[in-house]
Each structure stands twice: as structure tokens, then as C-alpha cells.
């Protein structure tokens, strides 16, 4: 969480730069959060569903956890499949989504 807060402070959302939102929400923040929650689920036996995971590595962490017997599920939003971070300059604030859009490699 500390990295996410620092990124938000560093890249305050600028209405003239739609890509600032994605810059403030890098995939590393999502990956750290998924890894931490996965470990909590493992240690407590809790079932967890991640809504709208957007990075390939975060999805991989969920898959690995499931393979190890952790009760994890995840979903993906259609917008994460249809658009990428590079679409932000042309599409504008319509793509200011949570989770933020990632790179082509994360589709």
C-alpha cells in the first residue's frame, strides 16, 4: 500500500493528462496487494475473490495460489482486454478505470 500512496502523491491526477491515472496505479501496486492478500488467505483459510485484476503477473499469482490449494478466484473486466495504457491519450478520461489499464503485455 505504501508504494500506491507514494505513486498517487507523485502523479496527481491531471485532467489534461489521462495517462496520469495509470501512472499513479502501476502494475506493481496491484501485484503487491494480490501477493499480500494471497498470503493472508493461505494462512487463514479464507476464500478470496479479486475483482477486475488487470496485470498478467497478478493473475499468475492467483493461479499459483490456486495450484497450492489456496481458495482464490479472480475476474477480468472487458475493458482490460479491449484497451491498454497506450490508448489513454486518444480515448481520454473514458478510460480512467479502476483497476487502471496496463500494457499490451498484460492483456
Amino acid at each position: 500500500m505504501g508504494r500506491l500512496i507514494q505513486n498517487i502523491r507523485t502523479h496527481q491526477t491531471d485532467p489534461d493528462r489521462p495517462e496520469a491515472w495509470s501512472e499513479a496505479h502501476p502494475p506493481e501496486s496491484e501485484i503487491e496487494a494480490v501477493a499480500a492478500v494471497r498470503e493472508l488467505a493461505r494462512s487463514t483459510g479464507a476464500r478470496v475473490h479479486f475483482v477486475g485484476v488487470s496485470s498478467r503477473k497478478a493473475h499468475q499469482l492467483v493461479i499459483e495460489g490456486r495450484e497450492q490449494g489456496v481458495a482464490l478466484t479472480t475476474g477480468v473486466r472487458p475493458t482490460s482486454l479491449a484497451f491498454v495504457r497506450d490508448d489513454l491519450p486518444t480515448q481520454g478520461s473514458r478510460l480512467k478505470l479502476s483497476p487502471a489499464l496496463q500494457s499490451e503485455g498484460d492483456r
Side-chain angles (χ1 to χ4, degrees):
M1 281 300 267
R3 185 180 296 183
L4 175 61
I5 291 168
Q6 181 60 39
N7 284 330
I8 290 170
R9 288 181 182 146
T10 303
H11 301 285
Q12 295 295 319
T13 53
D14 178 352
D16 296 326
R17 287 189 59 246
E19 58 270 30
W21 176 256
S22 273
E23 291 167 358
H25 298 82
E28 293 82 15
S29 296
E30 180 180 75
I31 293 164
E32 287 177 14
V34 168
V37 172
R38 180 182 75 170
E39 293 312 309
L40 284 171
R42 181 191 321 277
S43 66
T44 63
R47 299 174 59 89
V48 175
H49 178 75
F50 295 97
V51 178
V53 172
S54 65
S55 72
R56 184 177 300 271
K57 178 62 177 169
H59 275 286
Q60 188 60 42
L61 289 172
V62 172
I63 291 167
E64 290 169 4
R66 288 179 56 91
E67 289 171 349
Q68 297 165 6
V70 184
L72 304 173
T73 57
T74 187
V76 65
R77 296 199 168 127
T79 50
S80 295
L81 300 174
F83 298 100
V84 293
R85 184 176 288 181
D86 291 342
D87 294 320
L88 286 164
T90 59
Q91 297 296 317
S93 62
R94 290 182 293 220
L95 295 182
K96 185 178 173 183
L97 307 169
S98 184
L101 292 173
Q102 304 302 334
S103 69
E104 180 69 39
D106 284 307
R107 271 197 212 194

